[in-house]
Amino acid sequence: MDMLTRMQTGRFKVFRHLSDRFEEFRLYHRKDGKVVKEDDDLISATRDAMMMCCALPRRKPPTTNSARRFVIRKTGNLTLIR
């Protein structure tokens, strides 16, 4: 239900030109309370991608104090400058 909630609240958007996806969503339905698993490839792939992205830990942006710079010496070796 997370994907439906995101669509209803405007946090999940789909480009208008993806007509195949809209057609699939239009045909998406439930029978006896269970989702009918027919021709739902795009919706399933979208749901899986959304679940993977939401499961990833968020990275904190580096602060200026912790940022590291690399410099290439004439020998081609990388050197860390602090």
Side-chain angles (χ1 to χ4, degrees):
M1 284 298 211
D2 192 41
M3 193 160 96
L4 178 61
T5 305
R6 287 174 185 260
M7 285 192 284
Q8 291 172 340
T9 59
R11 296 183 322 169
F12 181 81
K13 298 178 182 180
V14 178
F15 288 103
R16 290 182 189 162
H17 72 277
L18 299 174
S19 56
D20 291 342
R21 202 254 181 224
F22 285 107
E23 178 68 17
E24 190 173 295
F25 187 73
R26 189 179 66 77
L27 297 173
Y28 194 75
H29 66 283
R30 294 175 185 263
K31 189 173 186 177
D32 299 326
K34 295 184 180 181
V35 174
V36 177
K37 291 283 193 181
E38 277 183 18
D39 299 324
D40 67 341
D41 299 334
L42 292 173
I43 291 175
S44 294
T46 303
R47 182 180 53 249
D48 292 345
M50 191 184 74
M51 288 171 50
M52 284 176 41
C53 290
C54 293
L56 294 173
R58 296 187 184 250
R59 289 188 278 172
K60 295 179 184 176
T63 61
T64 54
N65 294 341
S66 65
R68 296 180 177 178
R69 290 187 233 162
F70 289 92
V71 142
I72 300 176
R73 289 188 178 179
K74 290 181 182 177
T75 59
N77 296 330
L78 292 176
T79 305
L80 177 65
I81 297 178
R82 293 184 185 226

